[in-house]
Amino acid sequence: MRDYETLRQRHQAYAMALAPRLIERLDWPADRLAAHRVQRLRELVREAIDRSPWHRDRLGGIDADRLDEDGLRELPPMSKADLMDNFDRIVTDERLSLGLVNDHLETVTAGYLLDGYIAVTSGGSTGHRGAFVYDWDGWATFWMGCFRHTLRAKWSDPELSSRPLVSAWVTAAHFTHASAALARTFASPEFVNVRLPVTRPTDDIVAGLNVTQPDCLVAYPSALHVLSFEARTGRLQIAPEQVLSCAEPLLPEIRTAAEEAWGAPVGNIWAASEGGGIAVPCAHSRSHLSEDLTIVEPVDEDGRPVAPGERAAKIYVTNLFNRALPLIRYEITDEVTILTEPCPCGSAHRRVADIQGRLDDVFVYDGRRVHPHVFRSALGRHAGVVEYQVRQTRDGARIAIRCGGPVDLDRLRGEIAEALGRCGVARPVVEVTAAERLERDVGPAKLRRFVPLAEPSARESGGRAFAAAH
């Protein structure tokens, strides 16, 4: 096994060598992007058929040399269940196996698998674990795809280009999660990545940020909301030029609070452990699909295409840059809206609205579907609510909130019960309690804001138990 630090520095240099051509693609016109996607799709499918036994069985009748995006939509989708059940036959390197990857993930603190692969894991919104592996080029492309806008801004700013760019990451604690692993792999003298795991006490995170004084703050939205409150109180004293959220839904009230706290626009990275940076913010903080790196198909619950401007129940994503684990029409249950309005930045990469929820977040009461917005709209009206977690019960919800000021719990309880009643929930019972700390998922330490009842309700609603995580 080669020395990790030697490999990491080599990988960081490789990613920087990719930067110029990946940045150039940000300005490509739509027709050139489309031609590039078709070329990469054909290369991906050819390699999958040649080197992946599972894809060979699934796609063996496909003429890869004539395949285009219309033809892609005729192929069967694949789920997380498909991936985990057939992992050993999906990977394109016969040395890789799910057992090997899991053994590596259980022991890794920072390391490469077989001297060239990076493995990460994700619990998914329903807690169903997934394991993913990236090849050398794929992992570097993941990183640069997420931060090429930031790098271009640095290189074009005389002051920033003359010194290191300091980023603070208030995200996952463990290197098996993509955000922590990316920040570790690609830290360099030019990009200083300071990790402040979100699982630390808030006072510790605030103290670390005050020392770091980051140019760029990258944080889970749940952490961002808490930190913006700390900034308003004066305990947190930083002035980031860029604020980025990732991994959880960026709610409108969180964006507003952060922008008011720091006077900087908040960009939202829509990334997935499986698909890389699916959409990333431009200089105007508008999120654009990475249309040179992925093919994203918005669909309804039954897999039918959804037109731009309409909210999709989920997406099928085709990862065009990771050949180690070919994901072709892979289902991710994020609810997404492709926007039709052009961006002031002039990019031909289509825009996407902030991801506000996912199919699995919907609560179902005796066949009646209740969207998370029913709870969000009430909770967002109370300024004293810093963060919250809503757990479905059979006849209502149990809600824990962290308070940064006075909150009338009885009034809030009544507002939510009334809203559930309007949705058809008979005699809803709502509990609202103040909590010092909210429960986060093990591993990625994400905050699951909405926790539905166990599997039977999800299946009755048509939800997918194998939903993918960011």
Side-chain angles (χ1 to χ4, degrees):
M1 188 68 67
R2 297 181 190 175
D3 173 67
Y4 169 73
E5 185 59 22
T6 299
L7 285 172
R8 190 197 68 78
Q9 291 183 19
R10 188 181 302 165
H11 212 170
Q12 193 277 331
Y14 181 87
M16 292 301 292
L18 288 178
R21 67 173 180 267
L22 287 179
I23 290 173
E24 179 191 8
R25 294 180 194 168
L26 296 175
D27 297 322
W28 278 4
D31 56 351
R32 187 172 181 184
L33 285 169
H36 174 80
R37 284 195 303 276
V38 169
Q39 176 187 342
R40 296 290 289 179
L41 174 63
R42 291 173 178 176
E43 293 170 357
L44 172 70
V45 171
R46 276 196 297 267
E47 189 161 349
I49 292 173
D50 182 52
R51 300 180 60 190
S52 165
W54 188 78
H55 280 299
R56 187 180 307 124
D57 293 344
R58 175 174 175 250
L59 307 174
I62 301 298
D63 183 353
D65 293 333
R66 302 182 64 182
L67 185 65
D68 57 18
E69 292 186 58
D70 289 335
L72 175 66
R73 286 187 281 271
E74 300 298 320
L75 302 181
M78 60 185 296
S79 67
K80 182 183 282 188
D82 291 328
L83 173 62
M84 299 311 296
D85 290 346
N86 300 280
F87 188 95
D88 293 2
R89 300 183 70 245
I90 292 175
V91 289
T92 57
D93 185 337
E94 61 184 12
R95 296 176 300 165
L96 293 170
S97 69
L98 184 58
L100 180 69
V101 168
N102 282 335
D103 288 346
H104 178 74
L105 289 170
E106 286 179 6
T107 59
V108 66
T109 55
Y112 286 85
L113 177 61
L114 301 176
D115 287 339
Y117 294 102
I118 290 288
V120 294
T121 186
S122 172
S125 66
T126 58
H128 286 242
R129 183 179 184 277
F132 313 97
V133 62
Y134 280 83
D135 58 31
W136 188 268
D137 182 77
W139 189 241
T141 302
F142 190 155
W143 165 260
M144 196 52 65
C146 288
F147 291 96
R148 52 185 165 173
H149 285 280
T150 301
L151 183 58
R152 179 163 69 174
K154 171 179 166 55
W155 284 349
S156 62
D157 184 306
E159 194 274 329
L160 278 178
S161 63
S162 66
R163 62 173 178 81
L165 180 78
V166 179
S167 297
W169 293 64
V170 187
T171 56
H174 202 273
F175 293 116
T176 58
H177 188 259
S179 62
L182 285 166
R184 175 63 180 265
T185 305
F186 298 108
S188 70
E190 187 169 3
F191 282 92
V192 177
N193 294 328
V194 178
R195 296 178 54 255
L196 298 164
V198 72
T199 49
R200 289 186 184 178
T202 299
D203 288 348
D204 289 356
I205 296 173
V206 168
L209 289 171
N210 283 337
V211 171
T212 301
Q213 289 297 307
D215 301 300
C216 177
L217 173 62
V218 184
Y220 289 170
S222 54
L224 199 59
H225 203 194
V226 175
L227 293 174
S228 63
F229 172 78
E230 293 294 318
R232 290 197 302 274
T233 67
R235 288 188 290 269
L236 177 60
Q237 299 181 351
I238 60 174
E241 296 185 19
Q242 183 181 41
V243 180
L244 298 173
S245 74
C246 63
E248 300 169 352
L250 176 61
L251 308 183
E253 59 267 27
I254 296 178
R255 180 192 288 275
T256 298
E259 291 182 345
E260 290 177 350
W262 293 299
V266 176
N268 191 21
I269 297 176
W270 175 28
S273 300
E274 307 92 323
I278 299 173
V280 294
C282 67
H284 293 265
S285 294
R286 313 289 175 85
S287 291
H288 291 264
L289 292 175
S290 299
E291 299 217 82
D292 57 325
L293 303 177
T294 59
I295 297 174
V296 175
E297 303 173 56
V299 296
D300 63 18
E301 293 181 41
D302 297 317
R304 295 183 295 254
V306 170
E310 298 180 9
R311 192 177 186 86
K314 57 186 177 181
I315 65 167
Y316 297 142
V317 62
T318 299
N319 181 324
L320 298 173
F321 61 89
N322 182 28
R323 303 301 175 83
L325 188 70
L327 299 181
I328 301 169
R329 303 198 83 210
Y330 183 88
E331 181 184 80
I332 296 178
T333 58
D334 288 335
E335 297 184 12
V336 62
T337 303
I338 305 297
L339 302 177
T340 56
E341 299 86 357
C343 182
C345 76
S347 174
H349 295 246
R350 290 176 298 168
R351 288 179 53 211
V352 61
D354 287 338
I355 310 303
Q356 294 300 307
R358 55 197 311 151
L359 184 63
D360 309 87
D361 289 337
V362 173
F363 292 177
V364 180
Y365 301 91
D366 294 326
R368 292 180 174 84
R369 298 169 61 82
V370 175
H371 195 277
H373 286 301
V374 172
F375 298 95
R376 287 178 186 148
S377 60
L379 289 158
R381 289 195 294 268
H382 290 257
V385 176
V386 176
E387 60 179 348
Y388 57 84
Q389 186 174 58
V390 183
R391 293 182 176 273
Q392 183 185 9
T393 60
R394 297 211 173 272
D395 53 2
R398 187 170 65 254
I399 304 170
I401 62 172
R402 283 193 62 240
C403 302
V407 178
D408 188 332
L409 299 183
D410 288 335
R411 176 185 169 191
L412 179 57
R413 186 181 301 115
E415 290 172 353
I416 294 173
E418 182 180 350
L420 288 174
R422 289 196 299 269
C423 293
V425 179
R427 296 183 296 279
V429 176
V430 177
E431 300 175 28
V432 182
T433 57
E436 290 294 322
R437 193 173 183 87
L438 302 184
E439 182 180 340
R440 290 181 177 270
D441 287 344
V442 176
K446 296 179 188 177
L447 176 65
R448 290 184 66 196
R449 289 194 181 277
F450 298 93
V451 184
L453 283 174
E455 300 260 320
S457 292
R459 286 196 293 266
E460 290 166 7
S461 70
R464 303 290 184 178
F466 41 77
H470 301 28

